Amino acid sequence: ALERCMMNDADRFIENILSHESKYYDPVKAHEYYLRTRELKGKRNKNDLKTDKKKEAWDYVQSELKNAKKNESDAAQQALSDFIEGAKQQALAKREQIKAKLTKLLETLQDREQTATRKAAREKAREEAQQLREELKQTVQTARDNYKKFKEDLTAKYEAEANQEFEAIKRNV
């Protein structure tokens, strides 16, 4: 009787495990996911390289790729910094132009009767400054987006190159 009870418990346990009675589990979707992802490439494993010569070659390739990627990334980051600094300098120069224009305009409008004209001139200068701020923000954001895309492309490029080198080392060395 004890064996039958234990057998029933074991059968129920196995049935419960195999039936996946979760509302979140869909066996059809699970199978589709498996079919989609089973084709993924395997990880590069240094242990797949049988000889010390192959392992040394792989270490060398990895360090060279890492250095090349770092140098290219640093150059891109410096270019981005230079671009943003240039955009800031242009914005400051434009700001000074607007300020000089406003000062000149205010000097010509000393008469009290022209107060409305002065206010309009000040408002126009504020609008130009606001427009300049928005243009600078847009330029900087575009530069940052371009840099982010560059970094993603750079990572993909060096990952592909590392895969090629790994396979070449496995075959040829």
Side-chain angles (χ1 to χ4, degrees), residues 50 66 68 81 101 113-114 158:
K50 303 294 183 203
K66 181 180 176 184
S81 297
K101 185 177 171 182
E113 294 173 357
Q114 298 176 345
Y158 280 101

Side-chain angles (χ1 to χ4, degrees), residues 12 15-25:
R12 276 186 274 150
E15 186 177 313
N16 188 27
I17 294 287
L18 294 178
S19 68
H20 298 288
E21 292 183 6
S22 171
K23 64 180 179 180
Y24 302 109
Y25 181 78

Side-chain angles (χ1 to χ4, degrees), residues 42-58:
K43 292 182 180 178
R44 290 185 306 267
N45 188 352
K46 191 174 177 181
N47 294 332
D48 289 346
L49 306 174
K50 303 294 183 203
T51 65
D52 288 338
K53 188 175 182 182
K54 287 182 179 182
K55 290 178 183 178
E56 287 174 15
W58 176 239

